[in-house]
Amino acid sequence: MNNELFTPQSPSVHSSRIIYTPSPFARTSLIHLQEVGSLQAIRPHTSTRTDLVSFLCLVVLSGSGKLTYEGKDYDLKTGDCAFIDCRKAYSHSTSDDLWSLQWCHFYAPSLPAVYEKYKERGGLPMFHPEDIKPFTGILTELYDLASSSDYIRDMRINEKLAVLLTLLMEQSWHPESVTISRKRMELSAVKDYLDEHYTEKIVLDHLSERFFINKFYLTKIFKETYGTTINSYLISKRITGAKQLLRFTDKTVDEIGNAVGMEDANYFSRMFRKVEGISPSEYRKQW
């Protein structure tokens, strides 16, 4: 396979691209760029790739085409974006309404897990943001950085790619869905209650009765909405509260466990270590 991640210059496209080689440090420790550019199709064509250790974000600036990914076809039009895992086979092709694109390929050791979280939150291979300017702006900035001689450009590229990932995560929720909007409204009161009462004993049956939501449905939509289970959310809140008390009070570890709703001292210590990697006493000593 040649080194270019999109089709090379050919009679089918006019393209402007930078194939980027990150430093060894960036490759192992940062979100790093592999390729960034833009193209204008001048005749219908299809590009097919498989087994690339890369993630692709592309924006359709004009025209239309099709993305085939994981056995499904997605029609793309002006203003659409795609975000895909290129370790999976994919292809994209312009229609007769010849498209122009901006794109970047990028990678980091953590990106497969980030992409799984993106999918858990409802993220799709393609979506239509209300405004593509934030995406095109970042892609343009990445192109300029990749062509610069900035001596810390890998760090600046990492920063821009992190902003791009944040935008993509924001788009993983689709508020235009009436069903989803209703779910979020139902859950906002539940989450507010958990935030206020996390120091108390909370059981699923009680939440179900209090908010008149079937407990199985509640469990399902909470995970879909917030990307975590109710129990994991409560543990996170309690550990955060415990960290505050460990740092800024003289309460004993047992007293702090009780204060954040984890009365069993062994359970509290076990959960704290699971989340923080150290015991409550070690955390207090470090800080």
Side-chain angles (χ1 to χ4, degrees):
M1 181 181 295
N2 78 44
N3 290 331
E4 296 200 31
L5 301 179
F6 258 78
T7 2
Q9 196 74 29
S10 74
S12 298
V13 299
H14 287 311
S15 66
S16 175
R17 75 184 67 222
I18 295 173
I19 299 175
Y20 189 76
T21 302
S23 67
F25 165 71
R27 194 180 297 276
T28 57
S29 304
L30 303 177
I31 314 171
H32 56 270
L33 187 65
Q34 296 166 316
E35 183 185 81
V36 61
S38 59
L39 69 80
Q40 171 63 62
I42 57 177
R43 66 180 62 181
H45 70 282
T46 299
S47 296
T48 302
R49 292 288 183 270
T50 187
D51 295 327
L52 287 178
V53 183
S54 179
F55 287 79
L56 169 66
C57 176
L58 69 81
V59 180
V60 182
L61 303 177
S62 63
S64 61
K66 181 176 71 173
L67 168 70
T68 300
Y69 176 68
E70 292 195 311
K72 295 184 180 180
D73 291 335
Y74 300 90
D75 292 324
L76 300 177
K77 61 184 182 302
T78 301
D80 282 345
C81 295
F83 179 39
I84 61 172
D85 178 353
C86 300
R87 297 173 303 170
K88 312 283 182 67
Y90 74 94
S91 67
H92 49 80
S93 56
T94 182
S95 68
D96 291 334
D97 181 16
L98 301 172
W99 63 13
S100 62
L101 307 174
Q102 267 186 290
W103 80 86
C104 72
H105 277 272
F106 59 105
Y107 193 72
S110 60
L111 267 183
V114 172
Y115 195 74
E116 286 304 308
K117 179 61 68 175
Y118 172 81
K119 292 194 296 183
E120 280 180 20
R121 288 169 49 85
L124 302 173
M126 63 82 61
F127 56 90
H128 187 86
E130 290 184 10
D131 185 3
I132 65 167
K133 289 181 182 178
F135 292 92
T136 59
I138 290 174
L139 292 171
T140 299
E141 289 173 339
L142 285 168
Y143 187 93
D144 292 341
L145 279 170
S147 60
S148 76
S149 57
D150 189 327
Y151 73 101
I152 57 167
R153 62 180 178 176
D154 279 336
M155 292 299 299
R156 298 194 196 282
I157 286 170
N158 171 76
E159 180 183 9
K160 296 300 179 185
L161 288 171
V163 173
L164 177 61
L165 283 171
T166 300
L167 285 172
L168 289 165
M169 279 295 188
E170 287 177 350
Q171 294 295 328
S172 67
W173 192 259
H174 300 282
E176 70 275 7
S177 166
V178 174
T179 301
I180 289 172
S181 295
R182 186 181 303 117
K183 288 179 183 178
R184 296 189 77 179
M185 289 177 64
E186 290 173 347
L187 282 181
S188 63
V190 176
K191 183 174 176 296
D192 288 345
Y193 181 84
L194 296 178
D195 290 343
E196 185 177 349
H197 297 275
Y198 71 91
T199 61
E200 303 169 13
K201 183 177 181 180
I202 297 176
V203 295
L204 186 60
D205 286 336
H206 169 70
L207 288 175
S208 175
E209 293 172 4
R210 183 180 185 87
F211 294 99
F212 306 102
I213 304 175
N214 177 276
K215 64 181 181 181
F216 302 109
Y217 177 68
L218 174 59
T219 301
K220 178 176 181 292
I221 62 171
F222 194 95
K223 177 70 180 293
E224 288 176 357
T225 302
Y226 299 113
T228 186
T229 64
I230 293 173
N231 188 56
S232 294
Y233 183 79
L234 278 172
I235 289 173
S236 178
K237 290 288 296 183
R238 287 166 173 164
I239 297 302
T240 299
K243 286 157 63 177
Q244 292 277 347
L245 295 173
L246 285 165
R247 290 180 63 178
F248 302 117
T249 75
D250 294 326
K251 291 178 181 292
T252 67
V253 170
D254 287 352
E255 288 172 338
I256 289 171
N258 283 324
V260 298
M262 303 172 82
E263 297 177 359
D264 185 319
N266 291 329
Y267 176 72
F268 170 56
S269 294
R270 188 168 69 251
M271 287 298 101
F272 194 97
R273 183 180 290 277
K274 181 178 179 180
V275 174
E276 293 294 320
I278 55 178
S279 71
S281 298
E282 290 169 330
Y283 178 87
R284 169 172 271 169
K285 184 177 180 180
Q286 279 189 359
W287 286 91

